[in-house]
């Protein structure tokens, strides 16, 4: 029997003779009068008897019930499930297991958020930097950063990790040069930049073969991905930048082993 303190017979007698008011019950349970009334409304806490003047008379049973409800609420159980749990229903273990799974997932999300915040602060990156890209945020143009945000909804985590590696490998400032390319850039400037970019793209296609067939890494359908990509690049890049991207992509594929550049000519 748990009995941490003894009381005089007079105190015990007075306690039995003096039921608690709603305010006193709420104070004992560490909650509010409105909360007690809400528990009455939703059927979690039984309504007590009333005095001749209409005031409620709460007893020990009500206090214990209220404390149990508060305990389950503190654990995170929704009020809609507390009735079954407090009544000892068969689904109690399942309800707690489900809650534990939700809490574990929530903790994982919070832990990931803290890691991302730490990386953003460490790298002094913009707060909106896509997850995992804090270390390369300073190299990303506004358009590139926007595209990566869109990629997070189109590709899986493995693909995004590879995109991050590609961004890290841009040590020649290609992204910055493309970002600074004016819409009326001349032919020679476009050609030179496309050739530079093609070398990087060709190496990416070799290092990350899935780029030529990304179907296994898509989180949306191929059609949705293609339509979204076209809409995004068309809006985010100016005509000269788009021209460079298209040219560079074609040149990169020609440079791949077995590409057109390595195919024997008909006269050979």
């Amino acid at each position: 029997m748990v009995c941490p303190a003894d009381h005089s017979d007079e105190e015990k007698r007075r306690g039995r003779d003096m039921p608690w008011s709603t305010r006193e019950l709420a104070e004992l349970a560490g909650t509010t009068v409105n909360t007690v009334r809400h528990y009455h409304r939703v059927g979690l806490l039984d309504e007590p008897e009333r005095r001749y003047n209409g005031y409620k008379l709460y007893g020990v049973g009500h206090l214990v019930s209220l404390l149990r409800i508060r305990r389950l609420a503190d654990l995170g159980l929704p009020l809609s499930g507390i009735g079954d749990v407090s009544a000892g229903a068969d689904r109690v273990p399942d309800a707690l297991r489900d809650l534990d799974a939700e809490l574990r997932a929530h903790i994982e999300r919070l832990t990931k958020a803290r890691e991302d915040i730490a990386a953003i602060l460490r790298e002094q990156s913009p707060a909106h930097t896509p997850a995992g890209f804090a270390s390369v945020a300073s190299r990303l143009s506004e358009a590139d950063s926007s595209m990566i945000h869109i990629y997070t909804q189109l590709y899986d985590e493995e693909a995004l990790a590879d995109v991050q590696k590609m961004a890290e490998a841009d040590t020649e400032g290609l992204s910055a040069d493309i970002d600074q390319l004016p819409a009326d850039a001349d032919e020679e400037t476009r050609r030179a930049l496309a050739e530079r970019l093609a070398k990087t793209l060709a190496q990416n296609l070799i290092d990350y073969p899935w780029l030529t067939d990304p179907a296994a890494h898509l989180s949306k359908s191929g059609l949705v991905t293609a339509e979204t990509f076209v809409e995004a690049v068309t809006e985010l890049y100016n005509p000269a930048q788009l021209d460079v991207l298209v040219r560079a992509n074609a040149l990169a594929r020609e440079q791949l082993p077995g590409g057109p550049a390595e195919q024997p000519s008909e006269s050979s």
Side-chain angles (χ1 to χ4, degrees), residues 210-250:
W210 65 266
L211 289 171
T212 60
D213 185 16
H217 294 279
L218 300 183
S219 56
K220 302 287 190 298
S221 72
L223 178 60
V224 170
T225 299
E227 290 178 343
T228 304
F229 179 82
V230 171
E231 287 290 331
V233 296
T234 301
E235 182 170 333
L236 293 172
Y237 297 96
N238 68 40
Q241 293 168 332
L242 286 173
D243 181 45
V244 168
L245 294 174
V246 172
R247 290 192 195 191
N249 185 65

Side-chain angles (χ1 to χ4, degrees), residues 2-162:
V2 179
C3 187
D6 193 12
H7 300 277
S8 68
D9 291 340
E10 177 62 20
E11 288 174 325
K12 295 175 184 177
R13 183 188 64 77
R14 291 178 60 199
R16 286 195 300 270
D17 293 343
M18 297 179 63
W20 297 295
S21 67
T22 305
R23 178 183 59 79
E24 291 169 335
L25 180 75
E27 290 179 353
L28 279 171
T31 187
T32 66
V33 169
N34 285 337
T35 298
V36 173
R37 290 170 177 166
H38 180 64
Y39 291 163
H40 285 320
R41 287 194 297 271
V42 298
L44 286 178
L45 187 64
D46 292 338
E47 290 275 0
E49 296 179 3
R50 292 178 180 268
R51 300 187 184 205
Y52 64 91
N53 56 8
Y55 286 102
K56 295 185 178 74
L57 303 174
Y58 292 94
V60 172
H62 296 101
L63 175 61
V64 172
S65 294
L66 179 56
L67 291 172
R68 286 176 175 170
I69 294 169
R70 296 298 300 160
R71 171 58 179 160
L72 295 172
D74 288 343
L75 286 175
L77 282 170
L79 294 184
S80 59
I82 286 179
D84 286 344
V85 174
S86 61
D90 293 338
R91 64 175 299 275
V92 170
D94 290 338
L96 292 179
R97 290 190 190 95
D98 291 344
L99 175 60
D100 184 60
E102 292 176 9
L103 292 174
R104 182 167 58 251
H106 186 57
I107 290 171
E108 290 174 356
R109 288 194 295 271
L110 292 177
T111 300
K112 181 62 170 60
R114 291 197 66 202
E115 291 173 352
D116 288 345
I117 290 171
I120 289 171
L121 294 175
R122 182 176 62 251
E123 302 292 340
Q124 298 183 335
S125 305
H128 57 69
T129 297
F133 287 82
S135 63
V136 296
S138 61
R139 305 181 192 177
L140 299 176
S141 66
E142 178 63 26
D144 289 343
S145 177
S146 298
M147 285 300 300
I148 290 173
H149 271 296
I150 293 172
Y151 289 161
T152 63
Q153 301 304 303
L154 301 178
Y155 297 98
D156 63 17
E157 292 185 5
E158 184 178 350
L160 290 173
D162 288 342

